[in-house]
Amino acid sequence: MMKKSFWYIFMLCLLLVGMVASGQEAEDDPIFTLQNDDPIVARGNSQPDSNLAWDRRYTDPGAVTYHDGQFHMIRNGFNGWPASVQMGYLVSDDGITWEQPQEAPILYTDDVPYAEVAALAGDLHVQEDGTWVLYFYTWNTLNPRSAGSTIGRATADDPLGPWTIAEEPLLTFDESLNETAVFAPSVIEIEDGFAMYYAAYDDRNALSIRRATSTDGL
């Protein structure tokens, strides 16, 4: 009996040692590593009269997709918060060195009829027919956590535009779920349509991640 107990204890010790070693190995070998210390995309020119004045204070990655052997980014540029946000387009062969084909934004907050304060890029896709689809979200009050934020959709034949904005938001906050704002959409295609994962504030200013589905993406 003592031999069996000793054997069980010995095996348990080996298991624990293996788990600790495995955990240490995971810590030493992170899933993601920083590519370099320098930004791959910098904010715009600091001169107020520059053509890049729309992003001279802040830039935000917005949405990135990979299509036809290249990375494509629609980034958000803005000079205050909450404030008007504009979207610029960049392209890269390796995801590290990026070029901006034109200095001017491809989309402006003012282009979105239901964006009262700001509109920001959230997710980007290219359909089989070549249509570019951008999912974006809006801030509609100076307090981003308060009611009014929505998720919308824009389409174009080319990432430089012109972009057509859907007349109505795809998703708005749901008072029955105690939502006060919805934002940061991420959309994937599933077997019977599309699934959107998005962030939401509730009436206690608590954040959560939620899921919506659609048969046609609209």
Side-chain angles (χ1 to χ4, degrees):
M1 191 67 171
M2 289 184 60
K3 288 185 177 179
K4 282 189 175 181
S5 298
F6 175 78
W7 178 251
Y8 289 145
I9 294 172
F10 177 70
M11 293 300 294
L12 180 59
C13 290
L14 286 179
L15 179 61
L16 291 173
V17 169
M19 292 173 64
V20 171
S22 177
Q24 184 64 43
E25 182 179 346
E27 291 180 2
D28 294 341
D29 187 20
I31 297 174
F32 290 97
T33 57
L34 188 64
Q35 186 69 38
N36 53 48
D37 293 332
D38 298 321
I40 58 172
V41 177
R43 58 189 173 88
N45 193 304
S46 61
Q47 300 301 317
D49 60 348
S50 166
N51 290 332
L52 294 181
W54 58 277
D55 66 343
R56 70 179 182 273
R57 290 191 65 188
Y58 306 112
T59 191
D60 169 301
V64 178
T65 192
Y66 186 75
H67 175 67
D68 277 351
Q70 288 185 307
F71 295 89
H72 304 265
M73 178 191 298
I74 294 182
R75 68 184 179 96
N76 303 305
F78 45 111
N79 292 323
W81 187 252
S84 181
V85 176
Q86 325 313 329
M87 306 178 207
Y89 169 68
L90 302 95
V91 64
S92 171
D93 291 329
D94 58 8
I96 300 173
T97 302
W98 293 83
E99 296 180 0
Q100 190 162 288
Q102 67 178 40
E103 292 184 347
I106 60 169
L107 273 173
Y108 294 79
T109 288
D110 289 345
D111 294 332
V112 181
Y114 38 89
E116 298 181 20
V117 176
L120 300 95
D123 202 2
L124 182 65
H125 297 268
V126 184
Q127 295 180 340
E128 290 185 2
D129 64 0
T131 300
W132 291 73
V133 179
L134 173 67
Y135 295 91
F136 59 86
Y137 57 102
T138 68
W139 290 131
N140 291 347
T141 69
L142 292 180
N143 178 3
R145 299 181 180 184
S146 63
S149 178
T150 62
I151 293 174
R153 183 178 187 264
T155 57
D157 294 330
D158 184 276
L160 290 174
W163 288 85
T164 301
I165 310 293
E167 294 182 359
E168 300 290 337
L170 300 185
L171 193 71
T172 60
F173 65 95
D174 189 338
E175 291 183 344
S176 69
L177 299 175
N178 296 323
E179 292 177 342
T180 60
V182 293
F183 57 100
S186 179
V187 179
I188 61 171
E189 191 166 353
I190 57 178
E191 186 174 347
D192 55 352
F194 299 86
M196 176 190 293
Y197 293 86
Y198 65 97
Y201 276 115
D202 66 17
D203 54 9
R204 298 169 302 164
N205 283 340
L207 273 170
S208 61
I209 297 173
R210 301 191 173 183
R211 183 178 189 266
T213 57
S214 170
T215 57
D216 60 5
L218 293 173

